[in-house]
């Protein structure tokens, strides 16, 4: 009951709009994951705090579309951590503009298909053999109707 009251209060504060995924995520698929600033993460090393509002909005769109919360593998990376994991020098992770994530129970191909249609996704990495995708909110090149793709997309 308290969760419903909080959800209704949040909806009022957000002008009546509350991501569908706010009500999801309390079942078995999320057992073993931690929460960091309202986002499920794979470990305490994942920084889910430093995400631009534009990236948060795109993440909420994924959650609303699939009706489930994401689980983030990677969010913001400081330059030291980025170099340690082999990230590009100009990685959007170092600018709070990228996230690597999956959604338990959702086929990765469905995430990729949705990312290709989502106008907020500027970059998309697919990483064959991995269960997650990378999205970033870079500006798309002029005239592009789909995100810039790399790493197996």
């Amino acid at each position: 009951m308290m969760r419903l009251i909080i959800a209704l209060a949040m909806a009022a504060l957000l002008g009546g709009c509350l991501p569908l995924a706010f009500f999801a995520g309390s079942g078995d698929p999320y057992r073993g994951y931690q929460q960091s600033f309202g986002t499920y993460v794979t470990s305490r090393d994942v920084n889910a705090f430093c995400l631009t509002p534009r990236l948060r909005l795109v993440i909420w769109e994924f959650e609303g579309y699939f009706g489930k919360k994401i689980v983030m593998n990677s969010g913001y990376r400081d330059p030291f951590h980025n170099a340690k994991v082999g990230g590009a020098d100009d990685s959007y992770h170092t600018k709070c503009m990228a996230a690597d994530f999956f959604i338990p129970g959702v086929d990765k191909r469905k995430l990729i298909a949705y990312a290709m249609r989502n106008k907020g996704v500027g970059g998309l990495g697919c990483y064959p053999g991995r269960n997650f995708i990378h999205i970033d909110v870079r500006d798309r090149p002029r005239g592009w109707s789909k995100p810039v793709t790399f790493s197996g997309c």
Side-chain angles (χ1 to χ4, degrees):
M1 180 65 173
M2 183 57 120
R3 188 173 182 181
L4 178 60
I5 292 169
I6 292 170
L8 293 173
M10 290 291 294
L13 287 172
L14 295 172
C17 177
L18 190 64
L20 175 65
F22 186 85
F23 300 101
S26 60
D28 281 345
Y30 296 90
R31 181 174 288 136
Y33 299 117
Q34 303 173 32
Q35 282 205 18
S36 175
F37 301 99
T39 302
Y40 284 99
V41 295
T42 55
S43 77
R44 63 181 177 83
D45 296 327
V46 177
N47 185 325
F49 178 72
C50 181
L51 303 177
T52 63
R54 190 169 156 192
L55 179 58
R56 285 218 183 264
L57 179 61
V58 171
I59 288 170
W60 286 345
E61 289 171 351
F62 271 83
E63 292 176 336
Y65 183 81
F66 291 102
K68 298 178 176 186
K69 299 280 278 176
I70 69 157
V71 177
M72 191 179 297
N73 290 5
S74 184
Y76 169 73
R77 299 180 196 148
D78 64 53
F80 176 77
H81 179 69
N82 190 59
K84 183 177 169 186
V85 298
D89 289 340
D90 61 345
S91 170
Y92 284 92
H93 285 282
T94 64
K95 302 171 188 176
C96 305
M97 295 174 63
D100 298 347
F101 66 86
F102 62 95
I103 298 178
V106 175
D107 188 286
K108 181 175 142 178
R109 292 172 296 198
K110 289 184 178 182
L111 296 176
I112 293 167
Y114 181 73
M116 294 296 273
R117 294 189 310 269
N118 185 303
K119 294 182 189 295
V121 176
L124 173 64
C126 301
Y127 307 102
R130 306 297 298 266
N131 70 336
F132 63 88
I133 65 169
H134 162 99
I135 64 165
D136 61 59
V137 292
R138 73 180 81 185
D139 290 330
R140 291 180 181 176
R142 181 177 292 238
W144 284 43
S145 62
K146 299 201 181 294
V148 174
T149 57
F150 56 95
S151 297
C153 293

mmCIF file of all heavy atoms in Angstrom, residues 36-65:
data_model
loop_
_atom_site.group_PDB
_atom_site.id
_atom_site.type_symbol
_atom_site.label_atom_id
_atom_site.label_comp_id
_atom_site.label_asym_id
_atom_site.label_seq_id
_atom_site.Cartn_x
_atom_site.Cartn_y
_atom_site.Cartn_z
ATOM 1 N N SER A 36 21.416 1.058 -7.166
ATOM 2 C CA SER A 36 22.209 2.263 -7.010
ATOM 3 C C SER A 36 21.425 3.412 -7.631
ATOM 4 O O SER A 36 21.177 3.411 -8.839
ATOM 5 C CB SER A 36 23.566 2.097 -7.716
ATOM 6 O OG SER A 36 24.310 3.295 -7.666
ATOM 7 N N PHE A 37 20.972 4.324 -6.804
ATOM 8 C CA PHE A 37 20.209 5.482 -7.268
ATOM 9 C C PHE A 37 19.011 5.067 -8.117
ATOM 10 O O PHE A 37 18.745 5.633 -9.165
ATOM 11 C CB PHE A 37 21.120 6.470 -8.011
ATOM 12 C CG PHE A 37 22.251 6.963 -7.163
ATOM 13 C CD1 PHE A 37 23.510 6.408 -7.282
ATOM 14 C CD2 PHE A 37 22.041 7.951 -6.222
ATOM 15 C CE1 PHE A 37 24.548 6.841 -6.480
ATOM 16 C CE2 PHE A 37 23.067 8.389 -5.413
ATOM 17 C CZ PHE A 37 24.327 7.839 -5.540
ATOM 18 N N GLY A 38 18.298 4.030 -7.662
ATOM 19 C CA GLY A 38 17.084 3.582 -8.332
ATOM 20 C C GLY A 38 17.295 2.700 -9.545
ATOM 21 O O GLY A 38 16.347 2.350 -10.226
ATOM 22 N N THR A 39 18.536 2.329 -9.810
ATOM 23 C CA THR A 39 18.858 1.493 -10.959
ATOM 24 C C THR A 39 19.495 0.206 -10.469
ATOM 25 O O THR A 39 20.365 0.241 -9.610
ATOM 26 C CB THR A 39 19.846 2.230 -11.898
ATOM 27 O OG1 THR A 39 19.251 3.459 -12.306
ATOM 28 C CG2 THR A 39 20.173 1.392 -13.119
ATOM 29 N N TYR A 40 19.060 -0.927 -11.018
ATOM 30 C CA TYR A 40 19.730 -2.184 -10.693
ATOM 31 C C TYR A 40 21.095 -2.196 -11.359
ATOM 32 O O TYR A 40 21.240 -1.780 -12.514
ATOM 33 C CB TYR A 40 18.914 -3.387 -11.172
ATOM 34 C CG TYR A 40 17.724 -3.684 -10.304
ATOM 35 C CD1 TYR A 40 16.455 -3.256 -10.663
ATOM 36 C CD2 TYR A 40 17.873 -4.394 -9.116
ATOM 37 C CE1 TYR A 40 15.357 -3.520 -9.868
ATOM 38 C CE2 TYR A 40 16.777 -4.663 -8.318
ATOM 39 C CZ TYR A 40 15.527 -4.219 -8.690
ATOM 40 O OH TYR A 40 14.446 -4.484 -7.892
ATOM 41 N N VAL A 41 22.099 -2.671 -10.627
ATOM 42 C CA VAL A 41 23.469 -2.739 -11.135
ATOM 43 C C VAL A 41 24.038 -4.121 -10.848
ATOM 44 O O VAL A 41 23.623 -4.797 -9.910
ATOM 45 C CB VAL A 41 24.369 -1.641 -10.515
ATOM 46 C CG1 VAL A 41 23.904 -0.254 -10.938
ATOM 47 C CG2 VAL A 41 24.411 -1.744 -8.994
ATOM 48 N N THR A 42 25.017 -4.524 -11.682
ATOM 49 C CA THR A 42 25.603 -5.851 -11.524
ATOM 50 C C THR A 42 26.614 -5.912 -10.390
ATOM 51 O O THR A 42 26.897 -6.991 -9.894
ATOM 52 C CB THR A 42 26.277 -6.307 -12.827
ATOM 53 O OG1 THR A 42 27.230 -5.332 -13.236
ATOM 54 C CG2 THR A 42 25.235 -6.526 -13.926
ATOM 55 N N SER A 43 27.174 -4.773 -9.999
ATOM 56 C CA SER A 43 28.127 -4.749 -8.875
ATOM 57 C C SER A 43 28.187 -3.348 -8.291
ATOM 58 O O SER A 43 27.724 -2.381 -8.898
ATOM 59 C CB SER A 43 29.525 -5.173 -9.341
ATOM 60 O OG SER A 43 30.162 -4.123 -10.037
ATOM 61 N N ARG A 44 28.798 -3.254 -7.134
ATOM 62 C CA ARG A 44 28.916 -1.937 -6.478
ATOM 63 C C ARG A 44 29.869 -1.013 -7.224
ATOM 64 O O ARG A 44 29.909 0.180 -6.979
ATOM 65 C CB ARG A 44 29.334 -2.092 -5.022
ATOM 66 C CG ARG A 44 30.694 -2.713 -4.823
ATOM 67 C CD ARG A 44 31.013 -2.858 -3.318
ATOM 68 N NE ARG A 44 32.269 -3.510 -3.113
ATOM 69 C CZ ARG A 44 33.440 -2.906 -3.148
ATOM 70 N NH1 ARG A 44 33.523 -1.625 -3.384
ATOM 71 N NH2 ARG A 44 34.555 -3.586 -2.943
ATOM 72 N N ASP A 45 30.618 -1.543 -8.175
ATOM 73 C CA ASP A 45 31.545 -0.730 -8.961
ATOM 74 C C ASP A 45 30.860 0.023 -10.097
ATOM 75 O O ASP A 45 31.482 0.856 -10.748
ATOM 76 C CB ASP A 45 32.659 -1.605 -9.545
ATOM 77 C CG ASP A 45 33.516 -2.236 -8.461
ATOM 78 O OD1 ASP A 45 33.705 -1.605 -7.403
ATOM 79 O OD2 ASP A 45 33.984 -3.371 -8.666
ATOM 80 N N VAL A 46 29.589 -0.274 -10.359
ATOM 81 C CA VAL A 46 28.867 0.387 -11.448
ATOM 82 C C VAL A 46 28.316 1.715 -10.936
ATOM 83 O O VAL A 46 27.580 1.752 -9.957
ATOM 84 C CB VAL A 46 27.721 -0.498 -11.976
ATOM 85 C CG1 VAL A 46 26.921 0.233 -13.059
ATOM 86 C CG2 VAL A 46 28.267 -1.824 -12.502
ATOM 87 N N ASN A 47 28.675 2.808 -11.607
ATOM 88 C CA ASN A 47 28.228 4.141 -11.208
ATOM 89 C C ASN A 47 26.971 4.504 -11.983
ATOM 90 O O ASN A 47 27.032 4.816 -13.171
ATOM 91 C CB ASN A 47 29.336 5.163 -11.472
ATOM 92 C CG ASN A 47 28.987 6.552 -10.976
ATOM 93 O OD1 ASN A 47 27.839 6.969 -11.015
ATOM 94 N ND2 ASN A 47 29.988 7.277 -10.516
ATOM 95 N N ALA A 48 25.831 4.449 -11.305
ATOM 96 C CA ALA A 48 24.548 4.794 -11.922
ATOM 97 C C ALA A 48 24.097 6.187 -11.517
ATOM 98 O O ALA A 48 22.991 6.600 -11.825
ATOM 99 C CB ALA A 48 23.490 3.766 -11.519
ATOM 100 N N PHE A 49 24.965 6.947 -10.841
ATOM 101 C CA PHE A 49 24.610 8.297 -10.390
ATOM 102 C C PHE A 49 24.830 9.330 -11.488
ATOM 103 O O PHE A 49 23.966 10.134 -11.789
ATOM 104 C CB PHE A 49 25.410 8.680 -9.143
ATOM 105 C CG PHE A 49 25.118 10.080 -8.675
ATOM 106 C CD1 PHE A 49 23.910 10.378 -8.086
ATOM 107 C CD2 PHE A 49 26.045 11.093 -8.846
ATOM 108 C CE1 PHE A 49 23.620 11.667 -7.666
ATOM 109 C CE2 PHE A 49 25.770 12.385 -8.427
ATOM 110 C CZ PHE A 49 24.554 12.669 -7.832
ATOM 111 N N CYS A 50 26.001 9.284 -12.096
ATOM 112 C CA CYS A 50 26.358 10.290 -13.101
ATOM 113 C C CYS A 50 25.844 9.857 -14.470
ATOM 114 O O CYS A 50 26.573 9.258 -15.261
ATOM 115 C CB CYS A 50 27.872 10.506 -13.131
ATOM 116 S SG CYS A 50 28.389 11.761 -14.318
ATOM 117 N N LEU A 51 24.567 10.120 -14.714
ATOM 118 C CA LEU A 51 23.945 9.870 -16.013
ATOM 119 C C LEU A 51 23.210 11.150 -16.388
ATOM 120 O O LEU A 51 22.476 11.699 -15.572
ATOM 121 C CB LEU A 51 22.955 8.704 -15.939
ATOM 122 C CG LEU A 51 23.489 7.358 -15.452
ATOM 123 C CD1 LEU A 51 22.353 6.344 -15.374
ATOM 124 C CD2 LEU A 51 24.603 6.848 -16.334
ATOM 125 N N THR A 52 23.403 11.616 -17.612
ATOM 126 C CA THR A 52 22.729 12.838 -18.025
ATOM 127 C C THR A 52 21.212 12.638 -18.010
ATOM 128 O O THR A 52 20.728 11.505 -18.154
ATOM 129 C CB THR A 52 23.155 13.266 -19.445
ATOM 130 O OG1 THR A 52 22.748 12.257 -20.373
ATOM 131 C CG2 THR A 52 24.654 13.506 -19.533
ATOM 132 N N PRO A 53 20.459 13.712 -17.831
ATOM 133 C CA PRO A 53 18.993 13.577 -17.883
ATOM 134 C C PRO A 53 18.519 12.941 -19.188
ATOM 135 O O PRO A 53 17.579 12.142 -19.185
ATOM 136 C CB PRO A 53 18.504 15.025 -17.766
ATOM 137 C CG PRO A 53 19.593 15.717 -17.000
ATOM 138 C CD PRO A 53 20.880 15.070 -17.470
ATOM 139 N N ARG A 54 19.172 13.245 -20.278
ATOM 140 C CA ARG A 54 18.802 12.673 -21.581
ATOM 141 C C ARG A 54 18.974 11.148 -21.574
ATOM 142 O O ARG A 54 18.119 10.415 -22.074
ATOM 143 C CB ARG A 54 19.682 13.321 -22.644
ATOM 144 C CG ARG A 54 19.304 13.056 -24.050
ATOM 145 C CD ARG A 54 20.107 13.999 -24.939
ATOM 146 N NE ARG A 54 20.247 13.467 -26.266
ATOM 147 C CZ ARG A 54 21.064 13.938 -27.177
ATOM 148 N NH1 ARG A 54 21.840 14.964 -26.896
ATOM 149 N NH2 ARG A 54 21.129 13.404 -28.370
ATOM 150 N N LEU A 55 20.075 10.663 -20.971
ATOM 151 C CA LEU A 55 20.303 9.216 -20.882
ATOM 152 C C LEU A 55 19.287 8.569 -19.949
ATOM 153 O O LEU A 55 18.740 7.507 -20.241
ATOM 154 C CB LEU A 55 21.729 8.918 -20.427
ATOM 155 C CG LEU A 55 22.091 7.439 -20.262
ATOM 156 C CD1 LEU A 55 21.886 6.666 -21.568
ATOM 157 C CD2 LEU A 55 23.530 7.301 -19.774
ATOM 158 N N ARG A 56 19.018 9.204 -18.812
ATOM 159 C CA ARG A 56 18.009 8.658 -17.895
ATOM 160 C C ARG A 56 16.659 8.519 -18.588
ATOM 161 O O ARG A 56 15.953 7.529 -18.417
ATOM 162 C CB ARG A 56 17.869 9.539 -16.658
ATOM 163 C CG ARG A 56 19.008 9.391 -15.703
ATOM 164 C CD ARG A 56 18.528 9.444 -14.271
ATOM 165 N NE ARG A 56 19.686 9.362 -13.399
ATOM 166 C CZ ARG A 56 20.115 8.237 -12.857
ATOM 167 N NH1 ARG A 56 19.488 7.120 -13.079
ATOM 168 N NH2 ARG A 56 21.168 8.232 -12.073
ATOM 169 N N LEU A 57 16.290 9.522 -19.386
ATOM 170 C CA LEU A 57 15.018 9.475 -20.092
ATOM 171 C C LEU A 57 14.975 8.295 -21.056
ATOM 172 O O LEU A 57 13.976 7.563 -21.114
ATOM 173 C CB LEU A 57 14.778 10.787 -20.848
ATOM 174 C CG LEU A 57 13.483 10.861 -21.645
ATOM 175 C CD1 LEU A 57 12.275 10.716 -20.741
ATOM 176 C CD2 LEU A 57 13.411 12.181 -22.398
ATOM 177 N N VAL A 58 16.050 8.074 -21.799
ATOM 178 C CA VAL A 58 16.083 6.951 -22.739
ATOM 179 C C VAL A 58 15.991 5.622 -21.979
ATOM 180 O O VAL A 58 15.279 4.705 -22.399
ATOM 181 C CB VAL A 58 17.333 7.012 -23.644
ATOM 182 C CG1 VAL A 58 17.493 5.739 -24.458
ATOM 183 C CG2 VAL A 58 17.256 8.218 -24.571
ATOM 184 N N ILE A 59 16.682 5.514 -20.853
ATOM 185 C CA ILE A 59 16.597 4.300 -20.034
ATOM 186 C C ILE A 59 15.153 4.084 -19.573
ATOM 187 O O ILE A 59 14.623 2.970 -19.642
ATOM 188 C CB ILE A 59 17.576 4.363 -18.849
ATOM 189 C CG1 ILE A 59 19.015 4.199 -19.358
ATOM 190 C CG2 ILE A 59 17.237 3.312 -17.795
ATOM 191 C CD1 ILE A 59 20.085 4.474 -18.316
ATOM 192 N N TRP A 60 14.484 5.139 -19.116
ATOM 193 C CA TRP A 60 13.086 5.022 -18.697
ATOM 194 C C TRP A 60 12.207 4.582 -19.856
ATOM 195 O O TRP A 60 11.233 3.854 -19.676
ATOM 196 C CB TRP A 60 12.574 6.329 -18.126
ATOM 197 C CG TRP A 60 13.100 6.649 -16.759
ATOM 198 C CD1 TRP A 60 13.732 5.804 -15.893
ATOM 199 C CD2 TRP A 60 13.043 7.915 -16.112
ATOM 200 N NE1 TRP A 60 14.070 6.463 -14.737
ATOM 201 C CE2 TRP A 60 13.655 7.771 -14.852
ATOM 202 C CE3 TRP A 60 12.542 9.150 -16.472
ATOM 203 C CZ2 TRP A 60 13.770 8.812 -13.953
ATOM 204 C CZ3 TRP A 60 12.655 10.196 -15.576
ATOM 205 C CH2 TRP A 60 13.261 10.029 -14.327
ATOM 206 N N GLU A 61 12.542 5.051 -21.066
ATOM 207 C CA GLU A 61 11.759 4.626 -22.237
ATOM 208 C C GLU A 61 11.911 3.121 -22.472
ATOM 209 O O GLU A 61 10.927 2.440 -22.781
ATOM 210 C CB GLU A 61 12.179 5.424 -23.471
ATOM 211 C CG GLU A 61 11.724 6.874 -23.410
ATOM 212 C CD GLU A 61 12.303 7.749 -24.515
ATOM 213 O OE1 GLU A 61 13.206 7.291 -25.253
ATOM 214 O OE2 GLU A 61 11.845 8.893 -24.635
ATOM 215 N N PHE A 62 13.128 2.592 -22.320
ATOM 216 C CA PHE A 62 13.329 1.140 -22.433
ATOM 217 C C PHE A 62 12.504 0.426 -21.361
ATOM 218 O O PHE A 62 11.824 -0.559 -21.650
ATOM 219 C CB PHE A 62 14.810 0.775 -22.266
ATOM 220 C CG PHE A 62 15.612 0.788 -23.531
ATOM 221 C CD1 PHE A 62 16.136 1.971 -24.026
ATOM 222 C CD2 PHE A 62 15.861 -0.386 -24.229
ATOM 223 C CE1 PHE A 62 16.882 1.984 -25.193
ATOM 224 C CE2 PHE A 62 16.605 -0.383 -25.389
ATOM 225 C CZ PHE A 62 17.122 0.811 -25.880
ATOM 226 N N GLU A 63 12.602 0.898 -20.138
ATOM 227 C CA GLU A 63 11.893 0.250 -19.033
ATOM 228 C C GLU A 63 10.380 0.290 -19.232
ATOM 229 O O GLU A 63 9.687 -0.693 -18.990
ATOM 230 C CB GLU A 63 12.283 0.909 -17.707
ATOM 231 C CG GLU A 63 13.712 0.639 -17.326
ATOM 232 C CD GLU A 63 14.173 1.349 -16.072
ATOM 233 O OE1 GLU A 63 13.596 2.400 -15.698
ATOM 234 O OE2 GLU A 63 15.135 0.853 -15.453
ATOM 235 N N GLY A 64 9.872 1.413 -19.688
ATOM 236 C CA GLY A 64 8.442 1.530 -19.941
ATOM 237 C C GLY A 64 7.982 0.640 -21.080
ATOM 238 O O GLY A 64 6.947 -0.014 -20.990
ATOM 239 N N TYR A 65 8.766 0.582 -22.140
ATOM 240 C CA TYR A 65 8.400 -0.216 -23.303
ATOM 241 C C TYR A 65 8.354 -1.706 -22.957
ATOM 242 O O TYR A 65 7.425 -2.416 -23.352
ATOM 243 C CB TYR A 65 9.386 0.030 -24.445
ATOM 244 C CG TYR A 65 9.033 -0.716 -25.706
ATOM 245 C CD1 TYR A 65 8.074 -0.214 -26.581
ATOM 246 C CD2 TYR A 65 9.636 -1.923 -26.010
ATOM 247 C CE1 TYR A 65 7.729 -0.894 -27.736
ATOM 248 C CE2 TYR A 65 9.302 -2.621 -27.170
ATOM 249 C CZ TYR A 65 8.347 -2.105 -28.019
ATOM 250 O OH TYR A 65 8.004 -2.791 -29.156
#
